[in-house]
Every structure is written in structure tokens, then in C-alpha cells.
Amino acid sequence: MFDTLSDRLTQVFSSLRGRGRLSAADIDATAREIRIALLEADVALPVVRQFIARVKERAGGDEVSTALNPAQQVIKIVHEELVGILGGETRRLRFAKVPPTVIMLAGLQGSGKTTLAAKLALWLKAQGNTPMLVAADLQRPNAVQQLQVLGERAGVPVYAPFPGNGVGDPVAAARDSLEEARRRQQNMVIIDTAGRLGVDAELMAQAVAIRDATQPDEIMFVVDAMIGQDAVATAQAFLDGVGYDGVVLTKLDGDARGGAALSIVELTGRPIMFASSGEKLEDFDVFHPDRMASRILDMGDILTLIEQAEKTFDADQTASLAGRLASGEGFTLEDFVEQLSMVRKLGPIGNLLGMLPGAAKNRELLSQVNDRDLDRAEAIVRSMTPQERRNPKIINGSRRARIAGGSGVAIGEVSQLVTNFYEGQKQMKAMFSGGMPGMPAMPGMGAARRAATKPARKKGKKKAAPRSGDPRRAAEIGRGPGEPGAPGEPGAQSGTGPALPRGLGGLGGLPGGLPDGFPESLADGLASLPPGLNFPSPAQDNVPAAFRANPNAKRRKKK
């Protein structure tokens, strides 16, 4: 919806980055480009003027001139002003003190009121409520039947006392629905009213009569986000004729410019409460002004992505998959298919990638990502035997041909999938073990990786001898029972190990000696280095006695 606006604003701000100071001319040029971008996005002219005036006022003050990064400060100002014209804060539903809570939907025909009524009912049901749909649109052909089908899909009861198609009294249907909801013990009532192709007196009179008969707790104006500048005029006409408490935007997944969302709130003073972004009943959620502003400015919408993942993914399934990911080799093609199915539940892959920061800069690459590619990869893996999924190394030429024939792809695609899987397996192992350059080990995954990669101890294997990093303790452990110097034997020293070379007995306050294998003198150690690393022997008359070579010491034989 906001791709064009996002691309233009991204270009505007990219020219500001890297500048240590912004002059008045720079601010004017930036404001001019932002004004053009908003007008091209069908934002109402009064809204654009007010927006640009506020941005220029803040950008020309001390808020930007004293900032360490003026360009980032300007982006921050534009983000905050966008949040302001989108409503500022998230508006929540008001519930009646005594059930049922009545929600009335109003709007033009074709704006998506009937589908949105089912989406809202499904969303309320997921929140723990018991909604009921009311068919009060008795003019449009098959409107009642459509609501009944959608209600059945959502698992929500539908109250439809009249068949519709021009037969029945919508005001009586709406009034009687309240008593029916009390009888069924439904705490939410959603009334789907009739619409027209344009604003007329008959439409307004019927909406006012339903409002007066039911006294709804919330009146929502449903507007198609694709109608552009006319959305503002329609919203103002409904506000004057019927009145409403909030706005619901539909068809946000379209390719229109989306200026209606940036104009309605500013001109009517009513917040956007919900947004519909797809044809499925699940494509519906609360409207967050700050998240939408971040998406417009190409800052991503990670919070919404996290919320969708939390709703979709099973906690136990995710924890089990994380343990296999941490093990590296434990991640098989079966886990790969499971991961694909989990991602597909979140929706189209293009929409998910569009929520990441910087998506506008890579829009051409994202456009090449297709859900069919994921389907083809899943088909390839499904065509493998369980043994091949667990151990892809056994897939030879004949197996590749069979898999390609079973999945309907070329043999090269099978080979490419296996190669990519091995590369991803290596990267996962390196990432969770901290082996990737500049990346520490994943927190909390060390135990999972150790548990997954720890080999099983063989039965009957002799227990390894204890080891110690303390030289004194290591020397004691190394001596067998009955040897001189062993604990409890003659020659054993209390609290001391083998003596250090003469002159180094008290070095650093260490009472013990060096571990076995160290030379008795520094000269002996230098002389015993491998060929090519030998240092010239120092003059013995200038070397302290403790460092002089011992002529009686055994030297390492050269090979």
C-alpha cells in the first residue's frame, strides 16, 4: 500500500545521511521533497500543509542544530509527526459494563463491511469473547447468505431473522438481536449494516435508525483504503450524518497509494482502530500508528512479526527445533520441511520480508521471492525416503533422478537443494558455537549444543585418570603408590613440589616447582628448540648462574 511513499521518503533521507550539519536550504529542500511524496500518495492537501509546517518548525530549531547526527534527527522528527497524523496511540475497544457490547459497522457498498464483520468476530473470539453476527444488510443481493457462510468459517453464530434480497426490516433485526444475544449468552454483537454506491439520504436515515434502536458502544466506519481522496469526503459525510468512534481500513494489501490512511485521522479526529490486509479471515489486527510509520520510513515492523510468530508457532515444537539447530548435524531435511511449514503459516513470504528493516532498498530482490519456490523445495524433500532426509549423503545419481521425477523438477534443482542444505547446516553450527567471524556464541544454546553433540559413553570403558591443572597435584597424581615423593611415602614434601632451578625458588612467591618436561635452565630450553628456531647461545660469563647451561644435562637428539 505505502510502497511508493516509502520509496520516495527513503530516497529523500538517503541524501541527508553523512552530512555533519544541515543548513536552512537543506531543510527547505527536504521539506519540498517530502511534500511532493505525500501529494503523490493522495494525502489531502490540508494534511500535507500542516505536516510540512510542523516538520520545518522542529527541524529549524535547536532540536536538530545541536544534534550529533542531524540527518537522523530529521528522520526521527518525520517519524514522530507521521505517528501523530496516524492517530498517535493505539485505540482499544470499549466494552459495555453490562453485556452484550454492541459494535455497529457503517460504510459504503464495496468497502468490505461483511467480510470485515467476520474478521472482527474471529479476532474477538481469539481474545476469549463470544461474538454474534447480525445480518442487517437486507438490500444487497445474497448479503445475508454471505454473512452466514463467513460466520460458519469463523465458528461464530449468525442472527438472520429475514432472508434479505430486499425483504425484511433491518431496524427490527438489529433491535431483536440484543435480546437474542442475551438469551444465547453472547457478550459481543456485531451489526452488519447496508451500504450504497454513494452517500445518500436513505442510507443515512437507515443507519441513524439502527443506531438509535441499538445504542451501540462502538460505531466503526469501514473505509476502502484504495479510493484515495474521496475517502476523506465520505468519512466526513458519515461523521456528520451518523457519527462514529473509529475507522477501520480495508484492502491495505492493495497497490493503491494509501493516502486515505494519512488523511482521515487528521481531518475527522477519529482514530484508526483496525486494519485488514488480506482476503483471509486471519488477515486482521489492531492498527498501531507507530508501527505503520516505521514501515513507511523503511524501519521495519519487527514487533508485528514477533506477535504473528508467537500466535502461530507452538512453544514445544519451537524449543525442540532450537535444540536440533544448535547441534548442527542434528538438523536434517525433515526439520527443514517442518521449518518451512511453520514459516508458511505466517503468511506470504513477501509480506514477512517486507516487515524487516531496509526492505524498501531491496524491493526488487524481494519481488523475486515467490511462495512457489518454497512449495517446490518442500515437494523435493517430500519425494525423499525417510532415510534420505535424515542422511542426504546417500543421495547418489539414481536417487536424484528418482526424487526429481517424483517432485516434478529438474535434477539440478535437487542437487542445488542438497548443496544449499549442507551450507546452511554448517552456518547454523558455526553460529550457535560462536564460530562465525565477529559473532559470539548464541546465548543459552551452549548447553543445548553440548547435550546434542555429546557422544554416548561406551559400557566397560576404563575411566580416565583424574587430571589437575595444579603442578603439585599433577606430580602427586603422576606418582604411583609406593614411589618416593608420593603422598604418605618417604621423600614426600608437605605443601611443596619439585624444587625450582637455583635462584628461582621464590619467583613470584610460588612455593612449588615447574611441571615435568620443563628444562632446568633457560639455555637448555633455547638449545632444544626445533631446527630453524634455535637462538644463538649467550655468552656464559654474562649469564647468571641460574640461567647457565648445564653441561651434564641430556640434550634432545637431532633427527
Side-chain angles (χ1 to χ4, degrees):
M1 175 63 71
F2 297 102
D3 289 351
T4 303
L5 178 60
S6 178
D7 292 341
R8 288 297 303 268
L9 292 179
T10 302
Q11 295 175 3
V12 171
F13 294 136
S14 62
S15 62
L16 292 179
R17 292 188 173 92
R19 299 189 182 183
R21 184 179 180 184
L22 296 181
S23 62
D26 295 333
I27 295 176
D28 291 340
T30 303
R32 188 184 312 112
E33 294 296 328
I34 295 175
R35 181 187 297 109
I36 295 174
L38 292 175
L39 291 175
E40 288 181 349
D42 277 344
V43 181
L45 182 59
V47 177
V48 175
R49 288 175 176 172
Q50 297 173 13
F51 180 83
I52 295 299
R54 290 195 294 265
V55 170
K56 291 182 65 175
E57 180 181 359
R58 295 183 59 183
D62 295 339
E63 188 174 354
V64 172
S65 61
T66 59
L68 295 177
N69 193 329
Q72 291 293 335
Q73 194 66 25
V74 171
I75 297 175
K76 177 176 178 291
I77 291 173
V78 173
H79 178 267
E80 292 175 353
E81 294 299 331
L82 276 177
V83 173
I85 67 174
L86 286 171
E89 297 180 355
T90 303
R91 166 73 155 75
R92 302 292 180 177
L93 275 175
R94 287 195 305 259
F95 291 88
K97 296 181 180 179
V98 179
T101 299
V102 181
I103 301 175
M104 173 181 168
L105 303 181
L108 295 179
Q109 184 175 335
S111 60
K113 291 189 306 299
T114 303
T115 304
L116 188 130
K119 290 183 177 182
L120 178 59
L122 181 62
W123 183 83
L124 289 171
K125 181 181 177 182
Q127 304 296 319
N129 297 288
T130 55
M132 184 183 73
L133 295 169
V134 178
D137 182 2
L138 305 180
Q139 279 75 30
R140 182 169 62 88
N142 295 323
V144 176
Q145 288 76 9
Q146 180 188 2
L147 188 64
Q148 289 174 335
V149 171
L150 292 174
E152 183 179 357
R153 287 173 53 190
V156 176
V158 178
Y159 179 67
F162 301 104
N165 298 325
V167 179
D169 183 4
V171 179
R175 184 189 308 111
D176 297 342
S177 66
L178 303 184
E179 186 61 32
E180 180 68 15
R182 296 188 186 97
R183 187 183 67 83
R184 296 186 179 186
Q185 296 184 351
Q186 309 288 134
N187 72 331
M188 305 289 294
V189 174
I190 303 173
I191 303 175
D192 177 31
T193 63
R196 297 289 188 278
L197 295 178
V199 178
D200 57 14
E202 182 181 359
L203 170 65
M204 292 298 177
Q206 185 181 107
V208 170
I210 294 176
R211 180 198 65 187
D212 295 340
T214 58
Q215 295 296 317
D217 301 280
E218 295 277 14
I219 302 177
M220 297 185 187
F221 174 63
V222 182
V223 59
D224 184 354
M226 300 177 65
I227 63 177
Q229 294 280 356
D230 191 51
V232 179
T234 305
Q236 191 64 45
F238 269 88
L239 182 63
D240 297 338
V242 182
Y244 52 83
D245 304 295
V247 178
V248 181
L249 290 177
T250 62
K251 306 178 185 178
L252 277 181
D253 57 328
D255 57 356
R257 299 174 181 177
L262 301 175
S263 305
I264 291 178
V265 178
E266 186 75 11
L267 295 180
T268 63
R270 298 297 187 272
I272 301 175
M273 298 179 61
F274 296 96
S276 173
S277 57
E279 297 180 358
K280 296 181 179 179
L281 297 182
E282 296 80 9
D283 298 333
F284 177 85
D285 204 350
V286 177
F287 184 82
H288 300 278
D290 52 343
R291 302 182 189 181
M292 182 57 69
S294 297
R295 296 182 67 174
I296 292 174
L297 295 180
D298 197 26
M299 297 179 183
D301 190 1
I302 301 299
L303 290 178
T304 300
L305 187 60
I306 293 174
E307 289 179 356
Q308 291 183 3
E310 289 178 346
K311 294 177 183 177
T312 306
F313 295 163
D314 180 71
D316 296 336
Q317 185 182 17
T318 306
S320 176
L321 181 60
R324 295 193 296 272
L325 283 173
S327 67
E329 290 84 356
F331 183 73
T332 64
L333 284 170
E334 292 179 340
D335 302 323
F336 173 70
V337 172
E338 181 182 352
Q339 197 175 32
L340 279 182
S341 62
M342 293 170 65
V343 172
R344 292 302 303 273
K345 291 179 182 179
L346 294 175
I349 189 67
N351 294 350
L352 301 181
L353 297 177
M355 295 182 185
L356 301 178
K361 300 177 183 178
N362 304 297
R363 203 176 302 282
E364 294 183 1
L365 294 177
L366 295 181
S367 62
Q368 301 176 5
V369 179
N370 195 339
D371 291 342
R372 294 182 180 179
D373 297 333
L374 302 182
D375 295 337
R376 292 165 72 88
E378 184 176 357
I380 293 174
V381 179
R382 297 291 186 192
S383 299
M384 299 178 183
T385 64
Q387 186 180 7
E388 291 170 344
R389 296 175 196 169
R390 289 190 291 267
N391 185 18
K393 295 180 181 179
I394 66 174
I395 301 178
N396 53 22
S398 61
R399 291 175 182 264
R400 293 173 194 267
R402 174 183 54 78
I403 295 170
S407 56
V409 301
I411 298 178
E413 294 187 42
V414 179
S415 303
Q416 187 65 38
L417 175 67
V418 175
T419 302
N420 294 341
F421 171 75
Y422 279 129
E423 291 297 326
Q425 192 180 57
K426 293 179 182 178
Q427 293 177 3
M428 289 177 187
K429 184 178 179 181
M431 179 177 65
F432 282 101
S433 62
M436 298 187 72
M439 178 179 289
M442 296 292 287
M445 288 299 177
R449 182 176 181 272
R450 288 192 297 269
T453 58
K454 185 178 180 180
R457 186 181 298 274
K458 296 182 179 180
K459 295 183 178 180
K461 186 177 179 180
K462 186 177 180 180
K463 187 176 180 180
R467 302 175 61 184
S468 174
D470 186 353
R472 296 169 296 170
R473 179 61 180 160
E476 294 176 359
I477 294 174
R479 295 188 184 94
E483 296 182 11
E489 297 294 333
Q493 301 180 21
S494 176
T496 60
L500 287 171
R502 186 173 53 189
L504 293 180
L507 179 62
L510 294 176
L514 292 172
D516 295 338
F518 275 74
E520 296 185 3
S521 68
L522 179 62
D524 293 338
L526 295 177
S528 62
L529 290 174
L533 294 179
N534 290 331
F535 290 88
S537 300
Q540 297 296 312
D541 53 350
N542 295 329
V543 178
F547 291 91
R548 292 178 183 172
N550 186 0
N552 298 324
K554 295 181 180 180
R555 298 186 178 275
R556 182 178 299 174
K557 295 181 180 181
K558 297 183 179 180
K559 295 182 180 180

